[in-house]
Amino acid sequence: MSDWSEAVDESGKVYYVNSVTNETTWTRPDGYAAPTPAPKPAAIPSPRPRPGSISVKSGGHAVNVIKQGYLHKKGHVVKNWKTRYFVLTREALTYWETGAMTKQKGMIQLTSNTVIEKAPADGHRYLYRFNLTADVLQAGGVKGGTTTFERVYHLASDDDEDRQEWMRIIAQTIEERKAFLNGMQ
């Protein structure tokens, strides 16, 4: 058995890792034989992801990721800014403590009422801000029911180009979500 195994970087490029020495290389090591994949059971076809999207496991099922990366988020209760790892899918914008995605910190559901807008700079540190206004469903309302309220999420990027890209792709995803939901009615 070889000490080498395949790994994939963020761009999808395959590289090789030696489990004994922790050495990495882009070229296939001598004597490395790729494991034989097990035959796949027949599956129900799923919708094809958009070009450029990837799939990750979340809650035990695969979701298509449209965009992911670090943004700064202003706290809702404690008003300090924290850097979070954001993952945009067709249904939601989730945010995690780090890019390892082991501890989810929150989820912003994308609905027909979700609005995204450019925001003014916050002092000298967070110059490239934008706000996402979304409906939040809260359990424990009157007589144990649920209530819906509007919440503004304050987000910031490190540069204007990144902010514009996040705003464009989130707005596009919201519009596609609206069209999808309208088509179901």
Side-chain angles (χ1 to χ4, degrees):
M1 180 168 161
S2 175
D3 294 331
W4 292 93
S5 61
E6 282 186 7
V8 180
D9 73 358
E10 292 176 358
S11 68
K13 188 174 178 184
V14 173
Y15 65 100
Y16 302 89
V17 180
N18 187 301
S19 61
V20 175
T21 65
N22 288 329
E23 178 185 0
T24 61
T25 180
W26 292 108
T27 57
R28 182 180 296 225
D30 290 338
Y32 173 77
T36 306
K40 292 184 179 180
I44 300 171
S46 61
R48 298 184 86 188
R50 284 194 254 186
S53 70
I54 60 171
S55 291
V56 297
K57 290 281 189 183
S58 174
H61 63 280
V63 294
N64 290 323
V65 175
I66 298 167
K67 181 166 177 63
Q68 58 187 335
Y70 285 97
L71 291 171
H72 309 285
K73 180 186 164 297
K74 189 173 185 178
H76 182 67
V77 177
V78 179
K79 303 294 184 188
N80 59 340
W81 288 86
K82 294 214 176 186
T83 302
R84 297 288 184 224
Y85 192 78
F86 283 78
V87 177
L88 177 65
T89 65
R90 291 179 182 167
E91 295 81 24
L93 180 64
T94 56
Y95 49 101
W96 305 77
E97 194 168 73
T98 67
M101 296 185 353
T102 56
K103 186 173 182 184
Q104 185 174 340
K105 300 300 283 183
M107 177 186 296
I108 305 167
Q109 287 293 138
L110 301 179
T111 69
S112 58
N113 296 332
T114 306
V115 176
I116 188 166
E117 60 189 356
K118 192 173 177 180
D122 184 17
H124 298 289
R125 188 161 181 199
Y126 300 104
L127 301 176
Y128 307 105
R129 291 184 48 204
F130 60 99
N131 295 334
L132 194 59
T133 305
D135 289 339
V136 176
L137 188 65
Q138 182 175 8
V142 179
K143 296 184 181 178
T146 58
T147 57
T148 302
F149 63 94
E150 191 175 82
R151 178 170 168 194
V152 179
Y153 294 85
H154 302 280
L155 306 171
S157 182
D158 288 331
D159 60 66
D160 192 45
E161 184 178 327
D162 194 41
R163 171 179 59 180
Q164 295 300 328
E165 174 66 13
W166 273 103
M167 289 182 65
R168 182 190 67 75
I169 200 75
I170 291 171
Q172 178 182 336
T173 303
I174 291 168
E175 289 305 311
E176 289 175 1
R177 182 84 177 142
K178 284 180 188 178
F180 173 76
L181 294 172
N182 287 337
M184 291 182 66
Q185 295 176 356

